[in-house]
Amino acid sequence: MLSGQDPLEWRVRKRWLFSASAFPGSGPGPGLLCARSCSHLCLFAGLPDPRCRPACPLSAVNLTVRPGGGAGRGRRLAAGLEGPARGWGGTGTKMSNRVVCREASHAGSWYTASDGVLLCFLRWSAVTRSQLNATSTSQVQVILLPQPPDAGITGPQLNAQLEGWLSQVQSTKRPARAIIAPHAGYTYCGSCAAHAYKQVDPSITRRIFILGPSHHVPLSRCALSSVDIYRTPLYDLRIDQKIYGELWKTGMFERMSLQTDEDEHSIEMHLPYTAKAMESHKDEFTIIPVLVGALSESKEQEFGKLFSKYLADPSNLFVVSSDFCHWGQRFRYSYYDESQGEIYRSIEHLDKMGMSIIEQLDPVSFSNYLKKYHNTICGRHPIGVLLNAITELQKNGMNMSFSFLNYAQSSQCRNWQDSSVSYAAGALTVH
């Protein structure tokens, strides 16, 4: 029985199951990496590195299985399932019946974790290398213990935060067909994002496309996830494999690794809000996450045309993930129009110029605006895809309008040493 008092016991996620078959290859022995703290070896390859545990927010540690003991990242086990994520065959069908999950990797840091998350302890002496290197049928079960009082999990705090922000916002008369909302930490942009999510009608929404920019890996196209389930602290969201299969068949997409998927925040930051907005119909919808690369204007047109048929369907909702101006030396962007007054007012004027162009639903004018001012709108390519999809539908006589409902800044810049990120929330409606 694990006491939870041994200093070499480590908290790991619930329901993890370590199997000997998950440790192929040679080397000094299998190891686990803490995915939150660069590359310190934690367990099973020597004593735990003391630098690792403090780097894990709330001790909600993501553990990555690493074959052998050398450098590099390994394969992630999710919910007791091992091996690389399954993909689609040439027909867009699943190659395996194994369910693969993406963990809520930013919970507890970028946004509050919620209730129901049991942490557990694994004692260093409880599992030996010989056990792990035993036959492939041998398994070592992680034992769940009651949540310790210092775990940092504060009950249903995330749910209460989302409810609080949404309760302060009015919904428009028409439900949104698409929204633009920020993807920063909820402390900064949670209240702003509520203005967009308040416009979602869960009674008619059955599929939610989430288009987020790639922050960590270079992409010249768009990428699809390799998993089946996206986890949130509220409840799990299921990827629509039928739509994924249709998209994959076009040959226009690549696949993102699980590591890329869990490192990226632009999609994940919309998952708790999506879960909250849809909770009254939580078993009746699927999601279609799409990581959008640094697309050329012609590629934005191609993807806009592809997604236009899905945008035309009233049972679909598009969530476009974007922050607006990133201003300051750390972002290498310091445009300042002195005629607007203080720096933060210049930033607001710059952002609202771009927002006005988006409201005009003109992708060419938006591209020209970006070329002229180089505004650091990180979701400019997902926005470009949306605008081109709208343009395609307008050719067929569909009448739509977009309105921004809220604008905010993380702080007010007044001198050259300051920095800020801007946030905007808006909704597309069909008339």
Side-chain angles (χ1 to χ4, degrees):
M1 179 67 181
L2 302 183
S3 68
Q5 303 301 316
D6 191 307
L8 292 181
E9 289 175 356
W10 283 68
R11 297 171 187 174
V12 293
R13 288 188 183 277
K14 64 174 180 176
R15 291 187 297 172
W16 281 59
L17 191 66
F18 300 106
S19 169
S21 61
F23 299 92
S26 59
L32 292 180
L33 288 176
C34 170
R36 283 203 188 276
S37 62
C38 46
S39 59
H40 303 313
L41 190 61
C42 292
L43 297 173
F44 306 138
L47 292 177
D49 191 313
R51 295 170 294 177
C52 194
R53 188 173 184 176
C56 301
L58 308 185
S59 295
V61 184
N62 287 322
L63 295 179
T64 300
V65 175
R66 179 167 73 174
R73 289 175 174 173
R75 297 182 296 180
R76 186 72 51 90
L77 301 187
L81 299 170
E82 65 192 55
R86 64 98 192 95
W88 308 276
T91 61
T93 57
K94 289 176 65 173
M95 295 170 60
S96 167
N97 291 325
R98 184 171 56 230
V99 176
V100 184
C101 302
R102 179 202 185 278
E103 293 295 322
S105 54
H106 292 72
S109 52
W110 287 59
Y111 57 94
T112 305
S114 191
D115 57 327
V117 180
L118 285 176
L119 300 181
C120 56
F121 291 91
L122 180 64
R123 185 159 56 190
W124 171 248
S125 58
V127 181
T128 66
R129 288 185 189 173
S130 61
Q131 286 176 295
L132 289 170
N133 291 325
T135 62
S136 60
T137 57
S138 298
Q139 295 178 329
V140 181
Q141 178 69 58
V142 174
I143 301 174
L144 289 178
L145 295 177
Q147 179 178 310
D150 64 338
I153 306 301
T154 56
Q157 185 175 349
L158 175 61
N159 188 63
Q161 283 178 335
L162 297 175
E163 285 184 350
W165 287 322
L166 289 167
S167 68
Q168 297 172 22
V169 179
Q170 297 295 319
S171 60
T172 57
K173 294 181 180 179
R174 294 178 182 272
R177 186 69 58 87
I179 61 174
I180 294 175
H183 54 237
Y186 282 1
T187 300
Y188 298 102
C189 74
S191 61
C192 177
H195 290 263
Y197 279 95
K198 189 72 170 186
Q199 316 313 319
V200 175
D201 185 349
S203 68
I204 63 173
T205 303
R206 293 297 172 263
R207 288 168 296 276
I208 300 178
F209 291 74
I210 307 174
L211 276 57
S214 176
H215 287 87
H216 302 290
V217 296
L219 285 176
S220 60
R221 299 189 294 170
C222 293
L224 304 178
S225 176
S226 299
V227 308
D228 300 274
I229 299 293
Y230 272 23
R231 287 200 161 132
T232 82
L234 302 182
Y235 57 89
D236 293 348
L237 305 180
R238 180 168 48 91
I239 291 179
D240 193 312
Q241 298 299 333
K242 178 178 180 296
I243 301 297
Y244 252 27
E246 294 174 3
L247 297 177
W248 186 251
K249 280 193 231 179
T250 66
M252 297 170 63
F253 293 84
E254 51 191 281
R255 221 171 302 173
M256 55 175 146
S257 69
L258 180 57
Q259 187 68 57
T260 295
D261 205 342
E262 292 192 344
D263 285 347
E264 182 56 62
H265 64 274
S266 69
I267 293 174
E268 179 178 342
M269 297 310 294
H270 290 277
L271 302 179
Y273 251 123
T274 295
K276 184 61 184 176
M278 294 295 297
E279 67 178 344
S280 62
H281 292 72
K282 68 179 183 179
D283 297 322
E284 301 172 22
F285 77 99
T286 54
I287 62 170
I288 300 93
V290 178
L291 191 63
V292 179
L295 306 180
S296 64
E297 290 181 49
S298 61
K299 286 282 182 65
E300 288 180 0
Q301 292 174 7
E302 290 178 23
F303 280 102
K305 186 174 182 179
L306 172 65
F307 284 118
S308 64
K309 70 174 184 178
Y310 299 104
L311 184 62
D313 187 339
S315 65
N316 291 337
L317 170 73
F318 274 72
V319 174
V320 173
S321 175
S322 182
D323 296 334
F324 274 69
C325 184
H326 299 60
W327 194 94
Q329 295 178 13
R330 68 191 184 102
F331 299 118
R332 299 180 182 178
Y333 186 76
S334 54
Y335 172 85
Y336 178 34
D337 180 357
E338 295 183 2
S339 68
Q340 299 301 318
E342 295 196 76
I343 294 173
Y344 73 91
R345 295 192 181 277
S346 170
I347 296 171
E348 181 176 356
H349 181 260
L350 175 68
D351 279 331
K352 289 190 173 178
M353 275 197 290
M355 292 160 63
S356 176
I357 292 170
I358 293 171
E359 288 179 334
Q360 296 168 24
L361 304 180
D362 186 348
V364 175
S365 294
F366 184 60
S367 293
N368 291 337
Y369 160 82
L370 293 171
K371 291 174 185 175
K372 181 177 181 179
Y373 296 101
H374 304 283
N375 192 0
T376 47
I377 302 173
C378 57
R380 56 193 176 276
H381 297 298
I383 292 172
V385 171
L386 175 65
L387 293 178
N388 277 284
I390 293 168
T391 298
E392 193 69 24
L393 295 181
Q394 287 176 326
K395 293 177 183 177
N396 299 322
M398 186 173 288
N399 184 20
M400 291 171 285
S401 64
F402 190 96
S403 297
F404 278 100
L405 306 169
N406 188 257
Y407 174 80
Q409 294 177 354
S410 61
S411 61
Q412 293 186 342
C413 294
R414 290 185 164 86
N415 59 64
W416 295 106
Q417 287 70 47
D418 293 340
S419 64
S420 72
V421 179
S422 306
Y423 315 114
L428 176 77
T429 56
V430 177
H431 302 283

